[in-house]
Amino acid sequence: MPPAHHQGLNPQQLAAVRQTEGPLLVLAGAGTGKTRVVICRIAELLERGATPGQILAVTFTNKAAREMKERVQKLLKGRDLGGMVISTFHSLGLRLLRGHASRNGTPTVEIADEADQAEMTSDALRECGVRRDVVNPRWARFRISLWKNAAIGPDAALEESNDAMEEGAARAFERYEDLLQRRRLVDFDDLILKPLHLMENDAALRAELQQRWQWLLVDEYQDTNACQYRMLRAMAGTRRNLCVVGDDDQSIYGWRGADPSRILSFQKDFPGAKVIALEQNYRSTGAILQAANAVIANNTQRRGKKLWSAAGEGEKPQLYRAEDEKDETDFIASRIGALVRAGQQYEDLAVLFRANVQCRPLEQALRTRQIPYHVVGTRSFFDRREVRDLLCHFRLLRNPVDDAAFLRVINTPARGFGRSSVEKLAEYAAAERTGLLAALRTHGAELSGTAREGGRTFLGLLAELETRSLTGLGAALEYLVDQTAYRHHLKMVTEDARELATRDQVVDEVIQLGREHGTADIGAFLDAIALGDEQRKDDKDDKKRGVTLLTMHGAKGLEYPVVFLVGLEEGLLPHGRTVAEEEDALEDNPGHTSNAIEEERRLFYVGITRARRTLYLSHTLQRTRRGRVIPSKPSRFLEELGDDLIEPVADDRQTPAADDVAKSFAATIRAKLKGPSAT
């Protein structure tokens, strides 16, 4: 009898599970059970004699890593899996930096969150004399991230800059790195880049890691950037027991450095590598997969594969041609109402769009019909002001030179510590080459009366927080909130009663978060927050009820019985920026195949393959943009589907009325048919 982890696998899946030695590319189409292959392959390795500590599995999101751990534990129940590492790339990078701090030359490693990064980018641009009207700080931060993801340093970035914006960002890049180093911070890109530099520059460490992790498994390989790819190659070493699972047809993060060519060139990079394609889809009906296959076949940068399903043909994708965006959103809301009346659950339905600007009219249409919904990918819990106010106290305890955290909390709530006092501390800190907190401890007595007393109170608060944290982070947070009268502070700065209630609730959530971490040290607490933000957002989205509204990018990895893909027009999908880039390229190079257009096509393919049973497609004949009504052109991707794979849907908004309205209307009709004697 075959082992449990072989049961239920199709021939291709089984072949991938049993191929345990040497480089292996599992080309896994959408919905083909790729995560199951990874999990069963781990079981196969253990059965063949590998120890848990010799296995490293890497994926991209905290949610995916957690689910993989749970499924491995369920499959191998009763077996000790201690030492096995299943994590995201960023968690792995932090593990390496923490575990090899002496080699890294940095005594502490703290993570700068998005707000810190934005602030330091703005400071760097200002200190370099680059005006905001020349380089937008947000764009500069994005550009710096791209350079770091490609392992390009400030000097090389400046050399390759080809316009004033890139040159300004490159000049700020070096200053940004200086600010990170001075504050003993790393950003999320550093969690990959710095471990990579460690491995590439330290042969002994590289050999140590290669000996420790003798089998590497990578999920969503198509999403790797240049640094992540080099990290994998360094860890694989000469043993080359590297199994990567991915789908070039779902590579949709080019703007983050992902490149589908890493799948296409895998056999070149790892000579002798075996390739196994998974094509049996367990998610969607045959008609939906036929549409997906027809679209993606137009891409040139891909490995050939064709998804098929044993779930039956099903109904063709349905196309609605709307007059304008109001007609489109009204149709969607009406059809959702009809589906729910027919027995569908709201939670089974998702509306996917290319750009966030498309969300507001959808929300308005659903609200009008009182249809419950939630939007995925909204503001991060940890970006909220009150969360940062509280956690910055703990960041200071962990990293005393974190001046951004100091500046945030020294006078929040107010304790008489004004701008002049901060400037005086900054002078002391600059002269002694130290942080603001150290300057306060050394020179606090030299400040004016209110600032001197406020500084003394603040230092006492930090000392007490550090002591209380040893017995429980939840209790320490409660003490912080009470001692600073933080809820009263929120009341003073919040005018709207509903917003105040929300902010109070967020404070409660932060305290509960501390309770959940128990007596964990402050560093572990802050690490879990920094790396677990995405997981927390995913968890909250999972628990929400109603129709799901989300971007096509945000839908990757998800599936729904019924999916609406909206706004399928040139300028929206493919995006207008991509269309313009293609037109410019064609002028210089007729016949040019646009990589960006191919990525947009992959995005459409991802959207199609989110649907399990029913797929609606829609576009408008005209759309209002920037206050002007202009004609819309259907997306070229719709034309690639062809009329034989889709079915036009009629406008059926005369849906059944509510029971009481229907009964009243029927009674009126009957009365008219019977004449006067009926009344």
Side-chain angles (χ1 to χ4, degrees), residues 97-243:
L97 288 180
R98 290 256 192 261
H100 303 280
S102 59
R103 285 184 165 106
N104 188 40
T106 304
T108 59
V109 178
E110 302 304 326
I111 303 171
D113 61 25
E114 291 183 8
D116 295 326
Q117 294 168 40
E119 177 204 343
M120 286 186 285
T121 304
S122 295
D123 289 347
L125 287 166
R126 184 175 60 254
E127 292 177 17
C128 291
V130 179
R131 301 195 317 270
R132 294 179 71 96
D133 60 340
V134 175
V135 179
N136 180 286
R138 185 173 180 181
W139 180 87
R141 174 69 199 111
F142 172 75
R143 194 68 190 87
I144 289 170
S145 178
L146 280 183
W147 279 321
K148 295 180 80 165
N149 282 331
I152 295 172
D155 291 341
L158 186 59
E159 186 176 337
E160 73 169 26
S161 298
N162 53 25
D163 58 35
M165 286 181 62
E166 286 202 345
E167 182 179 338
R171 287 166 54 200
F173 186 4
E174 183 174 11
R175 184 60 185 142
Y176 172 81
E177 292 293 284
D178 290 341
L179 290 171
L180 281 172
Q181 186 173 6
R182 191 179 76 187
R183 298 179 185 181
R184 296 180 191 169
L185 297 173
V186 296
D187 61 21
F188 285 98
D189 301 321
D190 287 328
L191 294 180
I192 306 300
L193 187 58
K194 287 184 178 295
L196 171 63
H197 287 161
L198 278 178
M199 282 187 280
E200 291 187 338
N201 298 325
D202 189 330
L205 173 60
R206 194 165 61 249
E208 177 186 328
L209 296 177
Q210 290 169 0
Q211 182 60 32
R212 176 180 177 183
W213 290 313
Q214 297 185 20
W215 283 273
L216 307 180
L217 299 94
V218 184
D219 197 9
E220 303 289 2
Y221 181 67
Q222 76 280 347
D223 293 337
T224 53
N225 62 35
C227 289
Q228 291 161 340
Y229 169 73
R230 284 166 55 182
M231 179 188 287
L232 292 171
R233 290 205 69 171
M235 287 192 293
T238 57
R239 189 177 287 109
R240 304 195 313 154
N241 286 334
L242 172 65
C243 171

Side-chain angles (χ1 to χ4, degrees), residues 153-449:
D155 291 341
L158 186 59
E159 186 176 337
E160 73 169 26
S161 298
N162 53 25
D163 58 35
M165 286 181 62
E166 286 202 345
E167 182 179 338
R171 287 166 54 200
F173 186 4
E174 183 174 11
R175 184 60 185 142
Y176 172 81
E177 292 293 284
D178 290 341
L179 290 171
L180 281 172
Q181 186 173 6
R182 191 179 76 187
R183 298 179 185 181
R184 296 180 191 169
L185 297 173
V186 296
D187 61 21
F188 285 98
D189 301 321
D190 287 328
L191 294 180
I192 306 300
L193 187 58
K194 287 184 178 295
L196 171 63
H197 287 161
L198 278 178
M199 282 187 280
E200 291 187 338
N201 298 325
D202 189 330
L205 173 60
R206 194 165 61 249
E208 177 186 328
L209 296 177
Q210 290 169 0
Q211 182 60 32
R212 176 180 177 183
W213 290 313
Q214 297 185 20
W215 283 273
L216 307 180
L217 299 94
V218 184
D219 197 9
E220 303 289 2
Y221 181 67
Q222 76 280 347
D223 293 337
T224 53
N225 62 35
C227 289
Q228 291 161 340
Y229 169 73
R230 284 166 55 182
M231 179 188 287
L232 292 171
R233 290 205 69 171
M235 287 192 293
T238 57
R239 189 177 287 109
R240 304 195 313 154
N241 286 334
L242 172 65
C243 171
V244 300
V245 183
D247 183 6
D248 50 329
D249 290 337
Q250 295 187 77
S251 181
I252 58 174
Y253 298 116
W255 46 275
R256 289 198 317 216
D259 186 351
S261 69
R262 294 194 181 91
I263 284 183
L264 304 180
S265 64
F266 187 80
Q267 288 172 293
K268 178 181 177 182
D269 295 338
F270 296 92
K274 188 173 181 60
V275 178
I276 298 174
L278 306 182
E279 297 179 309
Q280 183 176 356
N281 177 285
Y282 294 91
R283 176 189 300 157
S284 306
T285 60
I288 291 172
L289 295 182
Q290 287 177 38
N293 289 332
V295 168
I296 205 62
N298 291 276
N299 271 5
T300 60
Q301 301 177 64
R302 66 184 295 264
R303 283 179 172 269
K305 63 180 179 299
K306 194 170 184 179
L307 298 182
W308 62 277
S309 173
E313 184 67 14
E315 58 186 4
K316 292 181 180 180
Q318 300 178 52
L319 174 64
Y320 181 69
R321 302 182 186 275
E323 289 295 325
D324 53 27
E325 59 265 42
K326 185 178 186 308
D327 182 27
E328 181 182 47
T329 56
D330 284 349
F331 165 76
I332 292 167
S334 174
R335 183 52 60 100
I336 287 173
L339 289 167
V340 171
R341 283 190 292 273
Q344 200 79 54
Q345 299 296 311
Y346 285 121
E347 292 71 33
D348 292 339
L349 311 174
V351 185
L352 277 55
F353 41 85
R354 173 64 177 88
N356 282 313
V357 70
Q358 296 171 259
C359 188
R360 187 192 60 78
L362 286 166
E363 290 188 73
Q364 185 174 341
L366 296 180
R367 283 172 182 253
T368 299
R369 288 168 174 75
Q370 298 183 325
I371 294 173
Y373 70 89
H374 69 280
V375 182
V376 173
T378 52
R379 182 184 179 190
S380 165
F381 173 79
F382 295 102
D383 282 341
R384 292 193 62 93
R385 179 187 306 173
E386 49 274 20
V387 177
R388 290 175 54 76
D389 285 348
L390 297 176
L391 294 185
C392 276
H393 290 82
F394 293 88
R395 282 176 47 178
L396 264 182
L397 291 177
R398 175 71 178 176
N399 182 12
V401 297
D402 189 343
D403 288 347
F406 178 90
L407 291 172
R408 184 172 193 93
V409 299
I410 184 60
N411 207 42
T412 304
R415 51 174 61 90
F417 217 98
R419 178 185 295 272
S420 61
S421 300
V422 170
E423 290 175 350
K424 188 169 292 187
L425 278 186
E427 292 175 5
Y428 291 133
E432 298 171 8
R433 301 182 66 83
T434 186
L436 293 174
L437 181 60
L440 177 63
R441 286 178 171 140
T442 306
H443 300 282
E446 302 170 33
L447 299 175
S448 63

